[in-house]
Amino acid sequence: MPWSWAVAPWVPTSPLCWPAAATIYPSLCNSAEPARTLREHVAAGRLGLKVGEGFYKWPEGARQQEQQRYASMLQRGLQLLSEELPGKTS
């Protein structure tokens, strides 16, 4: 089983995660680049929830539901942090 799946099945496959993965991975292992499995998924366009397939296959209904849940969680997080954001006046 590839390292990225065995240790971190949650690893996102978005191309936006590539710079973070390239920066973080060298401190987590001896490799200076993201795992082969992650590179293959990105190259094949299997970008996860965004496109409906990555490490998991997302049926359209489940995909839409998870996207809504994720957006809701991000909004709640933003509300929690809103007092700390720059430009906030009391």
Side-chain angles (χ1 to χ4, degrees), residues 48-81:
L49 185 62
K50 179 188 290 188
V51 299
E53 183 178 358
F55 288 107
Y56 301 101
K57 288 190 179 186
W58 293 90
E60 190 57 34
R63 180 176 163 225
Q64 290 175 351
Q65 184 178 6
E66 184 61 17
Q67 286 174 323
Q68 290 171 353
R69 185 184 77 80
Y70 186 73
S72 175
M73 290 173 57
L74 289 174
Q75 287 296 322
R76 287 190 305 214
L78 183 58
Q79 287 172 352
L80 287 171
L81 296 171

Side-chain angles (χ1 to χ4, degrees), residues 10-69:
W10 45 264
V11 171
T13 55
S14 167
L16 297 176
C17 296
W18 191 267
T23 302
I24 294 169
Y25 284 1
S27 65
L28 297 176
C29 67
N30 292 333
S31 177
E33 59 184 30
R36 178 180 46 85
T37 302
L38 179 59
R39 294 191 315 267
E40 289 171 355
H41 273 66
V42 170
R46 294 189 303 268
L47 305 177
L49 185 62
K50 179 188 290 188
V51 299
E53 183 178 358
F55 288 107
Y56 301 101
K57 288 190 179 186
W58 293 90
E60 190 57 34
R63 180 176 163 225
Q64 290 175 351
Q65 184 178 6
E66 184 61 17
Q67 286 174 323
Q68 290 171 353
R69 185 184 77 80

